[in-house]
Structure formats: C-alpha cells, structure tokens
Amino acid sequence: MDISGRHEEDGEYLMVAAAVHATVGTTRVQCIRGMGFAVSHEEPTLPAIIELVTHAVGDLPEPADCPVVAERGEFYEEPAWMVEQHLEPEFKYVESIAERETVQAAHHAAYAARKLLL
C-alpha cells in the first residue's frame, strides 16, 4: 500500500491511499488481484493514516488474506507491531524485492488517482 499527498497545499490536504492485492514470488509480482482506494482531507497524523489505510484495504474487491505491506515512512517509522495493532490482516514493512515492486505499483496508483482528483 502507498499514500500520495501527505503535504498541505493551499491550506488543504488531499491524501489518496492505494492498496494493491498481489500474488508475489520472492523477486517479482506474479499477479495483481485487485486495487482499493481511499481519500482523506484530514491532516496526516498517525491515526488518520491508519484510518485511511483501513478504508483502502477494505475497498479491495476481495478480502486480502495476506499482510498489508508498506514502506516505513508511511507510518512515520513506527514499529511494525504498533501499526499491526490497528490493521487487519497482519502488517509488515517491505522485506523482499517483490514486496517493494508491489508497493511501487501502489505508489503509481495512488499518485495517478490523486492527480485525477485535483
């Protein structure tokens, strides 16, 4: 998952989260099974980010039976165990090349969706 737009522009926030449900191997994405999106105008605090991610994951076309994976910066470098307390299914930070590629796909999706909304 990835979030675009955590910065203030003209006194407002427009954050778009994209969750990508993918089947991955160790080194590559094998299949994109679906995408979910969520939008927020809240200030990007940790609780607001967690709520946004929860909505994006909940928007996936089928429930994810795999962990939510993100870059450390998405959750302000908080330990994974702390973030996982608030998310379902489980949560972890990127560990493999394929997970990094999946997060990159989510980044492109979130950025593109945000640009459409501007």
Side-chain angles (χ1 to χ4, degrees), residues 1-2 24-29 69-72 92-108:
M1 69 92 12
D2 188 77
V24 300
T26 55
T27 60
R28 68 180 183 88
V29 175
V69 180
E71 296 285 347
R72 288 190 167 278
K92 69 178 193 170
Y93 288 119
V94 171
E95 295 175 354
S96 71
I97 295 168
E99 289 171 352
R100 186 165 308 285
E101 287 183 355
T102 304
V103 170
Q104 187 67 21
H107 170 76
H108 289 294

Side-chain angles (χ1 to χ4, degrees), residues 49-94:
I49 296 294
I50 288 172
E51 182 178 353
L52 182 64
V53 169
T54 299
H55 288 297
V57 171
D59 189 51
L60 288 167
E62 60 184 68
D65 56 351
C66 51
V68 173
V69 180
E71 296 285 347
R72 288 190 167 278
E74 295 298 350
F75 295 98
Y76 304 108
E77 306 283 332
E78 292 291 343
W81 64 266
M82 182 180 282
V83 176
E84 187 174 41
Q85 293 177 31
H86 305 283
L87 295 177
E88 290 204 18
E90 64 187 274
F91 173 79
K92 69 178 193 170
Y93 288 119
V94 171

